[in-house]
Amino acid sequence: MSEESEQELGITESKEYSTGDWYAEVVQKAEIADYAPMGGFIVTRPRGYQIWERIQDYLDGWFKDTEVQNTYFPMFIPENYLEREKDIVEGFDPEVAWVTHGGYDELEEQLAVRPTSESIIAPFMSQWVRSHRDLPLRLNQWCSVVRWEATETKPFFRTKEFLWQEGHTAHREMDGAWEETMLRLDQYERVYEDVLAMPVLTGRKPDHDKFPGAHTTTTVEALMPDGKSVQGGTSHYLGTSFGEAFDISYVDEDEKEQTAHTTSWGLSWRAMGALIMTHSDDQGLVLPPTLADPQVVIVPIWQEDNVDEILEYAEEIEAKLSAAGISVNLDDRDHRNPGFKYNEWELKGVPLRIELGPNEMDEETATLVHRPDGEDETVDAEGIAATVDEHLETIFAKLYASAEETLEGEIRDATSREEILGTIGQHGGYVKCGWCGDEECEEPIKDAIAAEIVMVPLDRDEEPVHDECAICGSAAEETAYFAKTY
Amino acid sequence: MSEESEQELGITESKEYSTGDWYAEVVQKAEIADYAPMGGFIVTRPRGYQIWERIQDYLDGWFKDTEVQNTYFPMFIPENYLEREKDIVEGFDPEVAWVTHGGYDELEEQLAVRPTSESIIAPFMSQWVRSHRDLPLRLNQWCSVVRWEATETKPFFRTKEFLWQEGHTAHREMDGAWEETMLRLDQYERVYEDVLAMPVLTGRKPDHDKFPGAHTTTTVEALMPDGKSVQGGTSHYLGTSFGEAFDISYVDEDEKEQTAHTTSWGLSWRAMGALIMTHSDDQGLVLPPTLADPQVVIVPIWQEDNVDEILEYAEEIEAKLSAAGISVNLDDRDHRNPGFKYNEWELKGVPLRIELGPNEMDEETATLVHRPDGEDETVDAEGIAATVDEHLETIFAKLYASAEETLEGEIRDATSREEILGTIGQHGGYVKCGWCGDEECEEPIKDAIAAEIVMVPLDRDEEPVHDECAICGSAAEETAYFAKTY
Ligand SMILES: [Zn+2]
Ligand SMILES: [Zn+2]
């Protein structure tokens, strides 16, 4: 490869000064995704899909540990099904992709490509639930959904088709359904904190921004380095609205007919976008060891006269790490020099690099270099697997700490419209203030700087941070968290 | 539940005399799948989806062991992309579902819901492949595809939307691509034989029945108990036709531009249909232990005065099996009697039932009952996990042997059109005969009894079974295997 194309390999945009362009460049050059020929669609490449598979593995395991059963419902929903719950149709109608023809024939009834599956799943829940013994019923599917939003494509954040999981459950009483809502919210929080190395906030969406038909929408919110909030996953308590619209009822222990309480909850590949945005830097992708494959790359440094010995030493180290279950790649390509390899694996986000040259070989050591901050340490080859495990844990902790630092101090108070605008304008982040609960009080903020109320506290009884609404001055009902969003 | 509804639980159709109705009944009553409101679509319920997940786990593991990388491409393909390979467009045009509207707006270019993804994947392979070092490139995706065929719905066999995996690879030379084609065919054969407990035949499709644009289509064919053949998975060597149509080229070691040779290969949830059709019986579903979850159900048999002891004994046995990694369910429901439980778990296909009553408890034994044939044996509780493992292996072997018996002796010779018609008419199964290679010689058989040439031998140099074409009497080029199909 020529000098010029080696440069093309690297990231040219700045995370700090042109975050959007930098993000797009990292996604493409780290071979995470490419843009499809149709606006709004992307191609998820192996390095990207592998991250999604890992996230799936964690979440799916937790779901199965907590009595969730996977299913697959059709990708199409007949128009009249979509219309059965009025909030759903109003909420999604403008965003639905419609199949109107099959082969050469026009369909009698056009079919929606699923924007979400409540309206096809609920009628089957209705059939499958007869007795209180059939409850709770917990279904989930991993699939893709389509929402025809006409905004600019931003891989994993804004795409017309996206991958997600959608859970749908039915319960006898409100209590069980609410516990379910919170259990899934907790699992989303856990996947962000323990797997993606990202601290998050949890809260409720304001009423005017709830999922269509929901009683309560809960959310995990993650703060991005540019001061914007990302809705990282939502868990909805739907009350009995879907139970009533689709007749999900059961005979209770006293032989009485009751309407089931339902929930739905979803986490999409947007989590991958938030992950990339949070940890990556001007050298490229940064992945936590929980998601990276490989977790470790070994770069041997040889001269013509010691290739064989160095390579043998490297293979020994590789074997020890592999045997301990560490995912490791020995980069023994002979048409690339070590410097090129360092850059390439930094670009691709491998958490830990091991350099093995003549010094390391002679002294039976290995030089470990942390991807996030370049910190290096030369360690004994003896016990290398345990040492590497510790370093991987340290790297995870560094990533978490750095994201935590971004979040901390980025939640500020405001008591007036001007202060909200000024604070978000200057610092980004979250601004919390008293709020009367009226959607109209969000509008001036939205209009001026495109910030909105991303959440209110989970606890409905929590006293508002101030007595008065920061915008209209009436009595505050709760605390609003304003932020710009993706 | 009343007597009447207990009867409704059981299978009423006969596998032997009304195979189609029986199949549909097993699928629904064993809670594998339900019919969706739109003809041609089904809902895959947890018990069905779990089987698909297991099949995925096996195959995906083997793919990853052999250098395949998973990806995700958009579910829509622009019309002009689909048209770029003329065989593809001719092959799939009549079966494509078209998205024409997004939200309230008509799209400028209608989008095909993927019937298969060659025409969206190949252009990206073209971008990603530059040098011989980028090859081989092996991509796979697990997704759903849509083909608008207007036939009667038969869950997993005939549905407009179906789940599958599609592999797409590019190679330097024909040799590598052909090896790839055969490797994937071998893996399909292996999943049938080692996981689904079904022997299969492997062969090539006749030229007139190849995948559109393919040089060679290879197939695994499974014989169903009603004498029809199911195409269980196909692996295509595409030659350079897609490489040329989509410009997948690379610079070789001598700096020369070359066209890549490509393959594609797919296995769908039809495998589940074949599995159910093959092993199940008039009591309901039968699953091999490789796919069943649970593999074992424990039914305790108690009286009012010994419930606690029996249950304690059952829990001990359950714990021993669980600890050994056997998937086990202790059915301790107290509102169902043992007979009801036997029927229910037989219907749902659990391979091994363990009955534990006072005798078993007193003698420290357990009675094991095999689902496929009802064979029972009372065994020592000591070493129960190893004993159960052996029995599960025996059950797998029984299923395989029974399917093998169905296949053996069902491959017959014929030397004339009348003999083909008579033999398939009387026995079903495969009839092999000399064939001149002309599609026209298939037509009279197709027209008369809807049997077709399902395969010819893999080895192109194999001498035909007879010197003359059984239909037209000209010189035979190869051996044709005629059979009725699903
Ligand atoms: Zn207000
Ligand atoms: Zn002929």
Side-chain angles (χ1 to χ4, degrees):
Chain A
M1 199 175 269
S2 67
E3 281 299 308
E4 195 180 54
S5 58
E6 282 200 34
Q7 279 184 350
E8 278 171 20
L9 200 72
I11 303 297
T12 58
E13 300 286 348
S14 151
K15 180 173 186 177
E16 188 173 355
Y17 299 108
S18 51
T19 311
D21 294 337
W22 162 85
Y23 174 80
E25 197 183 10
V26 169
V27 164
Q28 285 193 283
K29 289 197 172 166
E31 300 180 351
I32 299 297
D34 262 349
Y35 295 90
M38 317 81 80
F41 291 83
I42 60 170
V43 169
T44 308
R45 300 183 65 173
R47 288 182 183 281
Y49 197 76
Q50 163 189 300
I51 300 171
W52 183 239
E53 280 183 317
R54 290 270 170 142
I55 295 173
Q56 283 186 303
D57 283 346
Y58 285 101
L59 267 183
D60 199 63
W62 300 339
F63 292 161
K64 284 178 176 154
D65 288 345
T66 47
E67 310 294 322
V68 176
Q69 301 180 300
N70 282 341
T71 56
Y72 187 76
F73 283 77
M75 70 154 86
F76 300 143
I77 303 176
E79 190 170 18
N80 80 79
Y81 273 64
L82 209 60
E83 285 169 351
R84 220 172 280 180
E85 214 289 340
K86 72 168 174 32
D87 294 310
I88 280 275
V89 65
E90 281 167 18
F92 287 104
D93 220 24
E95 298 181 357
V96 167
W98 293 103
V99 174
T100 57
H101 290 73
Y104 304 124
D105 302 321
E106 190 168 350
L107 304 184
E108 280 178 32
E109 180 179 16
Q110 62 180 0
L111 300 172
V113 183
R114 66 164 97 78
T116 180
S117 301
E118 278 78 5
S119 42
I120 184 86
I121 292 182
F124 285 90
M125 284 186 154
S126 164
Q127 284 182 38
W128 298 336
V129 171
R130 289 279 170 267
S131 142
H132 61 94
R133 290 203 177 84
D134 301 321
L135 295 174
L137 175 63
R138 299 186 178 93
L139 304 176
N140 178 62
Q141 64 182 4
W142 293 93
C143 61
S144 75
V145 288
V146 171
R147 297 181 189 172
W148 214 263
E149 295 176 282
T151 51
E152 212 185 336
T153 310
K154 193 176 182 101
F156 309 117
F157 286 113
R158 292 265 170 219
T159 50
K160 290 194 173 80
E161 179 187 11
F162 56 90
L163 296 182
W164 79 345
Q165 61 67 218
E166 49 178 321
H168 301 270
T169 71
H171 306 260
R172 300 180 204 184
E173 307 285 351
M174 176 177 170
D175 283 0
W178 180 250
E179 266 172 41
E180 179 78 19
T181 308
M182 295 309 295
L183 171 62
R184 303 311 160 191
L185 190 73
D186 285 349
Q187 290 177 334
Y188 293 159
E189 187 178 5
R190 185 172 157 204
V191 85
Y192 275 94
E193 303 209 328
D194 296 353
V195 178
L196 279 65
M198 294 170 58
V200 288
L201 301 178
T202 57
R204 274 183 298 124
K205 287 286 164 189
D207 278 351
H208 61 267
D209 197 24
K210 287 188 309 192
F211 178 78
H215 175 280
T216 303
T217 287
T218 66
T219 179
V220 295
E221 297 282 328
L223 186 65
M224 296 295 99
D226 60 357
K228 293 181 182 173
S229 185
V230 165
Q231 180 180 303
T234 49
S235 181
H236 316 289
Y237 167 57
L238 301 172
T240 54
S241 63
F242 284 81
E244 278 156 17
F246 293 96
D247 189 28
I248 308 174
S249 60
Y250 66 95
V251 177
D252 71 11
E253 285 173 318
D254 305 322
E255 302 284 323
K256 270 199 203 143
E257 188 93 358
Q258 303 279 2
T259 301
H261 293 247
T262 68
T263 81
S264 67
W265 26 279
L267 181 137
S268 80
W269 70 12
R270 174 180 282 198
M272 282 172 62
L275 171 88
I276 296 166
M277 186 69 89
T278 298
H279 301 306
S280 302
D281 61 23
D282 290 353
Q283 277 66 56
L285 189 68
V286 177
L287 291 177
T290 39
L291 293 171
D293 184 18
Q295 298 170 301
V296 175
V297 63
I298 299 175
V299 179
I301 303 157
W302 56 54
Q303 306 292 335
E304 253 176 67
D305 60 350
N306 64 7
V307 176
D308 293 346
E309 300 98 282
I310 295 273
L311 209 50
E312 194 182 321
Y313 184 61
E315 282 164 359
E316 274 170 40
I317 301 280
E318 183 195 22
K320 283 182 190 168
L321 298 181
S322 273
I326 295 164
S327 157
V328 55
N329 176 18
L330 167 57
D331 186 352
D332 58 3
R333 289 177 294 175
D334 57 8
H335 67 291
R336 297 295 188 205
N337 62 44
F340 183 95
K341 293 177 183 178
Y342 296 173
N343 289 336
E344 181 171 346
W345 297 115
E346 282 182 2
L347 173 67
K348 291 181 177 167
V350 179
L352 186 72
R353 177 174 79 232
I354 302 186
E355 302 174 2
L356 297 177
N359 286 342
E360 282 84 358
M361 184 175 65
D362 293 345
E363 293 164 12
E364 297 201 19
T365 60
T367 298
L368 313 187
V369 185
H370 295 189
R371 169 66 182 88
D373 58 2
E375 189 184 339
D376 65 89
E377 189 182 343
T378 300
V379 305
D380 279 345
E382 200 177 312
I384 186 78
T387 309
V388 163
D389 262 336
E390 280 164 29
H391 279 259
L392 292 174
E393 275 177 36
T394 303
I395 289 167
F396 185 94
K398 281 182 181 177
L399 293 176
Y400 190 90
S402 163
E404 200 172 30
E405 203 185 302
T406 306
L407 179 58
E408 270 173 17
E410 293 294 326
I411 307 172
R412 300 179 181 81
D413 272 31
T415 51
S416 71
R417 175 177 155 170
E418 289 66 36
E419 206 181 345
I420 298 172
L421 294 174
T423 305
I424 293 182
Q426 191 183 344
H427 304 288
Y430 300 100
V431 166
K432 57 181 185 180
C433 61
W435 179 44
C436 63
D438 198 331
E439 185 178 0
E440 278 178 27
C441 284
E442 185 191 48
E443 275 163 24
I445 310 295
K446 222 170 180 169
D447 292 346
I449 56 167
E452 61 191 72
I453 301 174
V454 296
M455 60 176 226
V456 298
L458 271 177
D459 180 359
R460 285 174 193 273
D461 296 330
E462 191 179 304
E463 286 294 316
V465 63
H466 303 126
D467 294 338
E468 289 170 10
C469 176
I471 295 96
C472 71
S474 337
E477 291 290 326
E478 49 195 346
T479 305
Y481 287 72
F482 277 93
K484 293 189 180 184
T485 66
Y486 274 84
Chain B
M1 199 174 270
S2 66
E3 281 300 308
E4 193 180 55
S5 57
E6 283 201 33
Q7 278 183 348
E8 277 170 24
L9 199 71
I11 303 298
T12 58
E13 300 286 349
S14 152
K15 181 174 187 177
E16 188 174 353
Y17 300 108
S18 52
T19 312
D21 293 339
W22 162 85
Y23 174 80
E25 197 183 10
V26 169
V27 164
Q28 285 193 282
K29 289 195 173 168
E31 300 179 353
I32 299 297
D34 263 349
Y35 295 90
M38 318 81 81
F41 292 82
I42 60 171
V43 169
T44 307
R45 300 183 66 173
R47 288 181 183 282
Y49 197 76
Q50 163 188 301
I51 300 171
W52 182 238
E53 280 183 317
R54 290 269 170 143
I55 294 173
Q56 283 186 303
D57 284 346
Y58 285 101
L59 266 182
D60 199 62
W62 299 340
F63 292 162
K64 283 177 175 153
D65 288 344
T66 48
E67 310 294 324
V68 176
Q69 301 180 300
N70 282 341
T71 57
Y72 187 75
F73 283 78
M75 69 155 86
F76 300 143
I77 304 177
E79 190 172 19
N80 79 80
Y81 273 63
L82 210 59
E83 285 168 351
R84 218 171 281 179
E85 215 289 340
K86 73 170 174 29
D87 294 310
I88 280 276
V89 63
E90 282 167 16
F92 288 104
D93 219 24
E95 299 181 355
V96 167
W98 293 104
V99 174
T100 58
H101 289 73
Y104 304 122
D105 302 321
E106 192 169 349
L107 304 185
E108 281 177 32
E109 179 181 15
Q110 63 180 1
L111 299 172
V113 183
R114 64 164 100 78
T116 181
S117 301
E118 278 78 3
S119 42
I120 184 86
I121 292 182
F124 284 91
M125 284 188 155
S126 165
Q127 284 182 38
W128 298 336
V129 171
R130 288 279 170 268
S131 142
H132 61 95
R133 290 202 178 85
D134 299 324
L135 295 174
L137 175 63
R138 298 186 178 91
L139 304 175
N140 178 63
Q141 65 181 3
W142 293 94
C143 62
S144 74
V145 288
V146 172
R147 296 181 190 172
W148 213 265
E149 295 175 282
T151 51
E152 212 186 334
T153 311
K154 191 176 182 98
F156 309 116
F157 286 112
R158 291 267 170 217
T159 51
K160 289 194 173 81
E161 179 188 10
F162 56 89
L163 296 182
W164 79 345
Q165 61 67 219
E166 49 178 320
H168 301 269
T169 71
H171 307 261
R172 300 181 205 183
E173 308 286 349
M174 175 178 172
D175 283 0
W178 180 250
E179 266 171 42
E180 179 78 18
T181 308
M182 294 308 298
L183 171 63
R184 302 313 160 192
L185 190 72
D186 286 348
Q187 291 178 335
Y188 292 159
E189 188 178 4
R190 184 172 157 203
V191 85
Y192 276 95
E193 303 209 328
D194 296 354
V195 178
L196 278 66
M198 294 170 59
V200 287
L201 300 179
T202 57
R204 275 183 296 125
K205 287 286 166 190
D207 278 353
H208 61 266
D209 197 24
K210 288 187 308 192
F211 179 78
H215 175 280
T216 303
T217 287
T218 65
T219 179
V220 295
E221 297 283 326
L223 186 66
M224 296 294 100
D226 59 357
K228 292 180 183 172
S229 185
V230 165
Q231 179 181 302
T234 48
S235 181
H236 315 289
Y237 167 56
L238 302 171
T240 54
S241 63
F242 283 82
E244 278 155 18
F246 293 96
D247 191 27
I248 308 173
S249 59
Y250 67 96
V251 176
D252 70 12
E253 286 175 319
D254 303 324
E255 301 285 324
K256 270 198 204 143
E257 188 94 357
Q258 304 279 4
T259 301
H261 292 247
T262 68
T263 80
S264 68
W265 26 277
L267 181 138
S268 80
W269 70 12
R270 175 180 282 200
M272 283 172 62
L275 171 87
I276 297 166
M277 186 69 88
T278 298
H279 300 306
S280 302
D281 61 23
D282 289 354
Q283 277 66 56
L285 188 68
V286 177
L287 291 175
T290 39
L291 292 170
D293 185 16
Q295 299 169 301
V296 176
V297 63
I298 298 175
V299 179
I301 304 157
W302 56 54
Q303 306 291 337
E304 252 176 70
D305 60 351
N306 64 7
V307 176
D308 292 345
E309 299 99 283
I310 294 275
L311 210 48
E312 193 181 322
Y313 184 60
E315 281 163 0
E316 273 172 39
I317 300 283
E318 183 196 22
K320 283 184 189 168
L321 298 181
S322 273
I326 295 165
S327 156
V328 54
N329 175 18
L330 168 57
D331 186 352
D332 58 2
R333 290 176 294 175
D334 58 8
H335 67 292
R336 296 297 186 202
N337 62 43
F340 183 95
K341 293 178 184 177
Y342 295 174
N343 289 337
E344 181 171 345
W345 296 116
E346 282 182 2
L347 174 66
K348 290 181 177 166
V350 179
L352 186 73
R353 177 173 82 230
I354 302 186
E355 302 174 3
L356 298 176
N359 287 341
E360 282 85 357
M361 183 175 65
D362 292 345
E363 293 164 12
E364 298 201 19
T365 60
T367 298
L368 313 187
V369 186
H370 295 190
R371 169 66 181 88
D373 58 2
E375 188 184 338
D376 64 271
E377 189 181 344
T378 300
V379 304
D380 279 346
E382 200 176 313
I384 185 78
T387 308
V388 163
D389 261 334
E390 280 164 31
H391 278 259
L392 292 175
E393 275 177 37
T394 302
I395 289 168
F396 185 94
K398 280 181 183 177
L399 293 175
Y400 190 90
S402 161
E404 201 173 29
E405 202 183 305
T406 306
L407 179 58
E408 273 174 16
E410 293 294 325
I411 308 172
R412 299 180 182 83
D413 273 30
T415 52
S416 70
R417 176 177 154 171
E418 290 65 36
E419 206 181 342
I420 299 172
L421 294 174
T423 305
I424 294 181
Q426 191 184 342
H427 304 288
Y430 300 100
V431 166
K432 58 181 184 180
C433 61
W435 179 43
C436 63
D438 197 335
E439 185 178 0
E440 278 179 24
C441 285
E442 185 191 48
E443 276 163 25
I445 310 295
K446 223 171 180 168
D447 293 346
I449 57 170
E452 61 191 70
I453 301 174
V454 296
M455 61 176 224
V456 297
L458 271 177
D459 181 359
R460 286 174 194 270
D461 296 329
E462 191 178 305
E463 286 294 314
V465 63
H466 303 127
D467 293 339
E468 289 170 10
C469 175
I471 295 96
C472 71
S474 337
E477 291 289 327
E478 50 195 347
T479 304
Y481 287 73
F482 276 94
K484 292 189 179 183
T485 67
Y486 274 85

